[in-house]
Amino acid sequence: MRIRMDWRSVKFDWNRARAFLVTAEEGSLSAAARALGMTQPTLGRQVDALEEELGVVLFERAGRGLVLTPSGLELLDQVRRMGEAATGVSLTASGQTQSVEGSIRITASEIEALTLLPPIIAKLRREAPGINIEVLGSNVAADLRRREADIAIRSFRPTEPELIAKKIRESTARLFASSDYLDRLGRPVTLEKVNGADFIGYEPPDTFVHSLNEMVGLSVSRTNLKVISPSTAMHWELVKLGVGLSVIPDRLGDAERGVERVLDGVAKPLVFPTWLTTHRELNTSRRVRFVFDFLADELAVPAATSTPAKKPRR
């Protein structure tokens, strides 16, 4: 016997529930409005209307942000499950489309989006002009399960069962510096000189220093870090300007005139994989499948040889 649901008992609008969910997760109406692509007053009216429909207060103001009330906390898990179910419906529907035309959102690290993807995207646009492409360049991994992107280029293999991934290749990165900086440091460039050099570090700095010493065999400390930034693109520009040493992908460093490997043949390179990832449901979409396979083919081509070509000094 099938139990029939009393649909008349559902007294609220899903769009208003979604407004509540995103506001709770973002922590403010302004951030939630940006995430949903709507104006803050419109979003605020939706949240107010949901409170009126349900007869409860969902948020209290705390400075410039919002804090969930006990009633809001109690409802949040239920509404979050509704959001996951709605996302599942959207994924399934997107996966069934047989059209190659449409939009694709690709996410990659900042440096890959800036230096690796542009020629690939240009070629993709020539071969499939009906596909509109949005590229998200960020060092924060997008959540594919929540449709923050359709395809991700990552340096790690996903563990979520809803995702499928293909390992494309392995790449290397190592210490690079400008020729001008190494001239100032003093040649020949020895391990002892590098231990006293200026470095451009990543966050968290202590973890970066530990990884650097382990990878390269150095004895540097946090005092060596003269600039700290989470941006690989920033590191690359600072290296070219002679600010200090940093770990840079070989494909960039080896191709740049006036930039050299540091302690080449002494320090071991950092080896990192490239994984192409998408949601299992989206893998049945012709458009996603086409772009996924296209990226896999293009990314599999080595971006640089393992041995750098001789580059003239400035």
Side-chain angles (χ1 to χ4, degrees):
M1 177 179 178
R2 184 168 69 91
I3 299 175
R4 302 185 64 182
M5 183 172 180
D6 181 7
W7 294 106
R8 292 172 297 180
S9 66
V10 180
K11 300 294 186 181
F12 64 91
D13 185 320
W14 159 243
N15 287 325
R16 295 169 180 172
R18 184 184 67 160
F20 159 68
L21 174 61
V22 178
T23 301
E25 292 184 337
E26 296 292 334
S28 70
L29 288 172
S30 58
R34 288 193 297 271
L36 289 172
M38 63 174 62
T39 64
Q40 184 174 332
T42 298
L43 182 69
R45 286 193 294 270
Q46 290 189 355
V47 174
D48 291 342
L50 180 64
E51 289 182 326
E52 185 175 346
E53 285 177 333
L54 299 179
V56 296
V57 177
L58 300 172
F59 295 104
E60 294 177 346
R61 291 201 170 273
R64 296 184 178 180
L66 297 173
V67 176
L68 286 164
T69 64
S71 297
L73 281 169
E74 191 171 342
L75 290 172
L76 182 59
D77 285 342
Q78 299 289 341
V79 177
R80 185 174 282 128
R81 284 195 288 271
M82 292 174 59
E84 291 171 353
T87 299
V89 171
S90 179
L91 282 167
T92 301
S94 297
Q96 298 305 313
T97 180
Q98 295 303 303
S99 173
V100 176
E101 297 185 350
S103 297
I104 285 286
R105 184 179 296 175
I106 303 168
T107 181
S109 70
E110 178 190 43
I111 195 69
E112 288 178 329
L114 183 65
T115 64
L116 185 63
L117 280 183
I120 296 177
I121 297 301
K123 184 176 180 180
L124 175 59
R125 287 287 302 142
R126 291 193 296 269
E127 296 192 12
I131 296 179
N132 299 322
I133 304 157
E134 181 179 355
V135 178
L136 303 178
S138 174
N139 294 330
V140 178
D143 191 342
L144 301 187
R145 297 173 300 173
R146 298 184 60 184
R147 294 300 302 277
E148 291 179 357
D150 300 313
I151 299 173
I153 302 168
R154 294 173 168 172
S155 59
F156 60 91
R157 183 176 187 173
T159 57
E160 299 87 344
E162 304 95 328
L163 304 182
I164 59 173
K166 179 179 182 180
K167 186 177 180 181
I168 304 301
R169 70 183 188 198
E170 287 190 339
S171 303
T172 52
R174 67 191 78 218
L175 279 177
F176 281 91
S178 73
S179 301
D180 291 341
Y181 180 83
L182 295 178
D183 288 341
R184 298 198 306 270
L185 185 65
R187 297 179 184 272
V189 179
T190 62
L191 192 63
E192 290 73 23
K193 288 180 180 178
V194 174
N195 281 333
D198 295 340
F199 282 78
I200 305 156
Y202 290 94
E203 296 178 337
D206 291 336
T207 301
F208 174 73
V209 167
H210 175 76
S211 300
L212 190 66
N213 288 336
E214 188 175 72
M215 178 187 81
V216 184
L218 295 175
S219 298
V220 300
S221 68
R222 188 166 177 172
T223 59
N224 291 87
L225 305 186
K226 305 306 180 182
V227 181
I228 297 174
S229 172
S231 168
T232 309
M234 172 70 76
H235 282 232
W236 180 221
E237 292 303 315
L238 291 174
V239 164
K240 290 189 289 184
L241 290 171
V243 174
L245 287 67
S246 192
V247 178
I248 300 294
D250 287 355
R251 64 180 177 83
L252 293 179
D254 289 344
E256 182 71 17
R257 181 178 179 179
V259 171
E260 302 177 35
R261 294 183 178 187
V262 180
L263 299 176
D264 192 24
V266 176
K268 59 183 179 180
L270 171 67
V271 180
F272 59 95
T274 297
W275 288 88
L276 203 57
T277 306
T278 189
H279 196 284
R280 191 174 299 277
E281 294 286 353
L282 287 177
N283 196 41
T284 61
S285 163
R286 283 187 63 199
R287 180 172 64 256
V288 175
R289 182 77 256 176
F290 175 83
V291 176
F292 188 96
D293 291 342
F294 184 91
L295 291 174
D297 290 342
E298 294 297 318
L299 291 170
V301 178
T305 59
S306 58
T307 301
K310 288 288 185 179
K311 296 178 292 185
R313 297 270 304 278
R314 287 178 183 174

